[in-house]
Amino acid sequence: MDGQQLFFLIAALVVVAMIVIWALVGRSGGTGHHDAGHDHGHGHDDHGHAAVEAPPAIVPTMGAALDPTVAPLSTADVDAQIAAQAQEAQASGTPRIAAAIGEPDDLRKIKGIGPKLNTLLGELGVSRYDQIATWTTADVAEVDPYLGTFKGRITRDAWIEQAGFLAKGDIAGFEAKFGKL
């Protein structure tokens, strides 16, 4: 199992754990009694059956899961935070991603990145294989809108996987999967 697969496995386990915690916190929120035929916010319909509810738009924060006195963020709060972050990113003219540390790599070795896209990525602060190799889904969503006519290339051309091989110096693995450099 390589590093990227391990990362996605751990991320999936964290998401599952958060959902389980949310479910447990959600079940413990009642007073323990129920008057038949009345809904007192315990998730039952008028016939006393458990009502099927849609899952929330967000999973409560870990603090809310561990401390039931901390209210989870509402969908409106999350939407407001996302809008504020988007405005901040747009005002700066660059995506909010981890900065590159070290000398720039030749990103044109990644299939799908030519001279124009290489220049654009440099202007956005993207200059290293290891930087791209560690991108999350959120990072891709952050960078993609800045790519203009190249939008969608990160996923379509498997930049993260390619960058992973190149960041590790695994040229043989890269060429086996993506062809000669």
Side-chain angles (χ1 to χ4, degrees), residues 6-21:
L6 181 61
F7 170 78
F8 285 116
L9 176 63
I10 291 170
L13 290 173
V14 168
V15 169
V16 169
M18 292 299 295
I19 291 170
V20 168
I21 290 170

Short mmCIF file of all heavy atoms in Angstrom, two decimals, residues 6-21:
data_model
loop_
_atom_site.label_atom_id
_atom_site.label_comp_id
_atom_site.label_asym_id
_atom_site.label_seq_id
_atom_site.Cartn_x
_atom_site.Cartn_y
_atom_site.Cartn_z
N LEU A 6 -2.79 4.87 1.67
CA LEU A 6 -2.88 4.92 3.12
C LEU A 6 -3.60 6.18 3.57
O LEU A 6 -4.45 6.14 4.46
CB LEU A 6 -1.48 4.84 3.74
CG LEU A 6 -1.42 4.85 5.26
CD1 LEU A 6 -2.17 3.65 5.83
CD2 LEU A 6 0.03 4.84 5.73
N PHE A 7 -3.27 7.30 2.94
CA PHE A 7 -3.92 8.57 3.28
C PHE A 7 -5.44 8.47 3.06
O PHE A 7 -6.22 8.85 3.92
CB PHE A 7 -3.36 9.71 2.42
CG PHE A 7 -4.13 10.98 2.54
CD1 PHE A 7 -3.97 11.80 3.63
CD2 PHE A 7 -5.04 11.35 1.57
CE1 PHE A 7 -4.70 12.96 3.76
CE2 PHE A 7 -5.77 12.51 1.68
CZ PHE A 7 -5.61 13.32 2.77
N PHE A 8 -5.86 7.93 1.91
CA PHE A 8 -7.29 7.84 1.63
C PHE A 8 -7.98 6.85 2.57
O PHE A 8 -9.12 7.06 2.96
CB PHE A 8 -7.54 7.48 0.16
CG PHE A 8 -7.31 8.63 -0.76
CD1 PHE A 8 -6.31 8.57 -1.71
CD2 PHE A 8 -8.06 9.78 -0.67
CE1 PHE A 8 -6.08 9.64 -2.56
CE2 PHE A 8 -7.84 10.85 -1.51
CZ PHE A 8 -6.85 10.79 -2.45
N LEU A 9 -7.30 5.78 2.96
CA LEU A 9 -7.86 4.83 3.91
C LEU A 9 -8.07 5.50 5.26
O LEU A 9 -9.14 5.37 5.86
CB LEU A 9 -6.93 3.61 4.05
CG LEU A 9 -7.36 2.57 5.10
CD1 LEU A 9 -8.70 1.95 4.72
CD2 LEU A 9 -6.30 1.51 5.25
N ILE A 10 -7.08 6.25 5.72
CA ILE A 10 -7.20 6.95 7.01
C ILE A 10 -8.30 7.99 6.93
O ILE A 10 -9.11 8.12 7.85
CB ILE A 10 -5.85 7.56 7.41
CG1 ILE A 10 -4.86 6.45 7.76
CG2 ILE A 10 -6.02 8.52 8.59
CD1 ILE A 10 -3.43 6.91 7.95
N ALA A 11 -8.37 8.74 5.83
CA ALA A 11 -9.42 9.75 5.68
C ALA A 11 -10.80 9.11 5.70
O ALA A 11 -11.72 9.62 6.34
CB ALA A 11 -9.22 10.52 4.37
N ALA A 12 -10.95 7.97 5.05
CA ALA A 12 -12.24 7.27 5.05
C ALA A 12 -12.60 6.81 6.45
O ALA A 12 -13.76 6.91 6.88
CB ALA A 12 -12.21 6.09 4.08
N LEU A 13 -11.62 6.29 7.19
CA LEU A 13 -11.88 5.85 8.56
C LEU A 13 -12.29 7.02 9.46
O LEU A 13 -13.18 6.88 10.30
CB LEU A 13 -10.65 5.14 9.12
CG LEU A 13 -10.34 3.78 8.51
CD1 LEU A 13 -9.01 3.25 9.02
CD2 LEU A 13 -11.45 2.79 8.78
N VAL A 14 -11.67 8.17 9.26
CA VAL A 14 -12.03 9.35 10.05
C VAL A 14 -13.47 9.77 9.75
O VAL A 14 -14.24 10.07 10.66
CB VAL A 14 -11.05 10.51 9.78
CG1 VAL A 14 -11.56 11.82 10.35
CG2 VAL A 14 -9.68 10.18 10.35
N VAL A 15 -13.84 9.76 8.48
CA VAL A 15 -15.21 10.12 8.10
C VAL A 15 -16.21 9.14 8.72
O VAL A 15 -17.23 9.55 9.29
CB VAL A 15 -15.36 10.16 6.56
CG1 VAL A 15 -16.83 10.28 6.16
CG2 VAL A 15 -14.57 11.32 5.99
N VAL A 16 -15.92 7.85 8.65
CA VAL A 16 -16.81 6.85 9.23
C VAL A 16 -16.92 7.07 10.74
O VAL A 16 -18.01 7.03 11.32
CB VAL A 16 -16.33 5.42 8.90
CG1 VAL A 16 -17.08 4.39 9.72
CG2 VAL A 16 -16.50 5.13 7.42
N ALA A 17 -15.80 7.34 11.40
CA ALA A 17 -15.82 7.57 12.84
C ALA A 17 -16.67 8.80 13.18
O ALA A 17 -17.45 8.78 14.15
CB ALA A 17 -14.40 7.75 13.37
N MET A 18 -16.55 9.85 12.38
CA MET A 18 -17.35 11.06 12.63
C MET A 18 -18.84 10.78 12.46
O MET A 18 -19.66 11.27 13.23
CB MET A 18 -16.91 12.19 11.69
CG MET A 18 -15.51 12.71 11.98
SD MET A 18 -15.33 13.41 13.62
CE MET A 18 -16.43 14.80 13.48
N ILE A 19 -19.19 9.98 11.47
CA ILE A 19 -20.60 9.65 11.26
C ILE A 19 -21.13 8.82 12.42
O ILE A 19 -22.23 9.05 12.90
CB ILE A 19 -20.78 8.92 9.90
CG1 ILE A 19 -20.50 9.90 8.76
CG2 ILE A 19 -22.18 8.32 9.79
CD1 ILE A 19 -20.41 9.25 7.40
N VAL A 20 -20.34 7.87 12.89
CA VAL A 20 -20.76 7.04 14.03
C VAL A 20 -20.93 7.92 15.27
O VAL A 20 -21.92 7.81 15.99
CB VAL A 20 -19.74 5.90 14.29
CG1 VAL A 20 -19.99 5.23 15.63
CG2 VAL A 20 -19.80 4.89 13.16
N ILE A 21 -19.98 8.82 15.50
CA ILE A 21 -20.08 9.71 16.66
C ILE A 21 -21.32 10.59 16.53
O ILE A 21 -22.06 10.78 17.49
CB ILE A 21 -18.80 10.57 16.80
CG1 ILE A 21 -17.64 9.66 17.23
CG2 ILE A 21 -19.00 11.70 17.80
CD1 ILE A 21 -16.28 10.32 17.17
#
